Amino acid sequence: MSDSKHIISWFELPVSDMERAKTFYETIFDIELELMVLGNTFKMAVFPGSQSVIGGALVWNEDWYKPSNSHGPLIHLNANPDLKTVQDKIADAGGKVTIEKRGIGPGRGFMSVFEDTEGNRVALHSNS
């Protein structure tokens, strides 16, 4: 695999309350998500970025997306340069840290896991 190709190209985090979830992620990452209302049954809040980076969105559709803190994929979000900065904002923003920052292994960086305001299990990763 080439260095320019990432195995993940897009992610979607299910939410049950779009405004609450959007506020949570904007708060912990100091970013602005673009809200898209696609009819009466589908909403998406897109994380900032370009087509050259891995992208993703919060998604709401009561019939298709169900938040989970124990099932489904575990997505690691980039929290460089040090995930502790992001991790320290989680509780005040309404989430819960379930695994504190810890080393993965030599040269692999660090990770932590949290539960967001919607009940999703999500991980953070950083190089230091």
Side-chain angles (χ1 to χ4, degrees), residues 81-102:
D82 182 349
L83 70 83
K84 185 90 167 84
T85 303
V86 175
Q87 180 183 284
D88 289 347
K89 297 177 186 178
I90 290 171
D92 287 343
K96 177 183 172 186
V97 176
T98 56
I99 298 175
E100 296 281 338
K101 179 182 177 180
R102 66 170 119 184

Side-chain angles (χ1 to χ4, degrees), residues 12 28 31 40-41 46 48 59 63 70-71 96-97 113 116 122:
E12 295 178 341
I28 68 169
I31 58 173
N40 293 331
T41 61
V46 180
V59 290
D63 296 328
S70 62
H71 297 87
K96 177 183 172 186
V97 176
V113 178
D116 71 9
V122 183

